[in-house]
Each structure stands twice: as structure tokens, then as C-alpha cells.
Amino acid sequence: MNIWQMQEAKARLSEVVKCAESEGPQSITLHGQSVAVVVSRSMFDRMTGNEHSLVSFMRLSPLYGADDIALERDTSLTREVSL
């Protein structure tokens, strides 16, 4: 993992991002302490589980394809509002 001082990371942000894509996570330090890590979008998605779309997520549901689910809908045209 490359280590960048904050000032250098600010001045060379595009390079930090490119390195995160090609080489992996990039550490950013402030006063010698690691304060942040820059990762590629693909790595972030893998880490957070965001690699699937909402449709894919819904298809993973145990209820997907179930025909016996009864959904009821209020068919009235208006609803009373209580204040």
C-alpha cells in the first residue's frame, strides 16, 4: 500500500486515484498518522456488497417467484385525512 502525506495527496489527487485503481488501496497520512484510505470503486463495491443491482437483490429474496402471496390494495378513490 502506498502512503501519501496529506499535502502531496491533495496536490496529486488524480495520481492517487489512478494508483488506487491499478495498485490497490492508498493510505493518506496527516502528521504521521493514517487518516484515510483511497480505494477503487470496484473494491469499495466488493467490500460493501453493492456489486448487485436492486433487481438482483430482489431476485435473491426467498419470496421471489412465490405465487401464493396475497397483496391487498385500497381501491377507494379518496382517503380521509385526520388532523
Side-chain angles (χ1 to χ4, degrees):
M1 179 181 322
N2 291 340
I3 299 173
W4 303 78
Q5 293 179 355
M6 180 69 77
Q7 285 297 95
E8 183 182 15
K10 285 169 45 177
R12 300 169 60 189
L13 181 60
S14 62
E15 186 177 347
V16 173
V17 172
K18 287 177 185 175
C19 287
E21 281 187 315
S22 63
E23 300 172 20
Q26 305 294 301
S27 179
I28 299 176
T29 63
L30 181 64
H31 305 296
Q33 299 290 325
S34 181
V35 295
V37 176
V38 177
V39 297
S40 67
R41 168 50 86 175
S42 61
M43 179 175 280
F44 178 78
D45 287 344
R46 283 193 310 273
M47 292 169 56
T48 60
N50 289 335
E51 54 198 16
H52 300 289
S53 68
L54 178 59
V55 172
S56 298
F57 173 77
M58 299 294 274
R59 287 183 178 154
L60 293 174
S61 167
L63 300 176
Y64 177 71
D67 295 328
D68 59 343
I69 300 174
L71 302 174
E72 295 180 22
R73 181 177 177 181
D74 184 356
T75 58
S76 64
L77 297 177
T78 61
R79 296 186 180 135
E80 291 182 27
V81 177
S82 59
L83 300 173

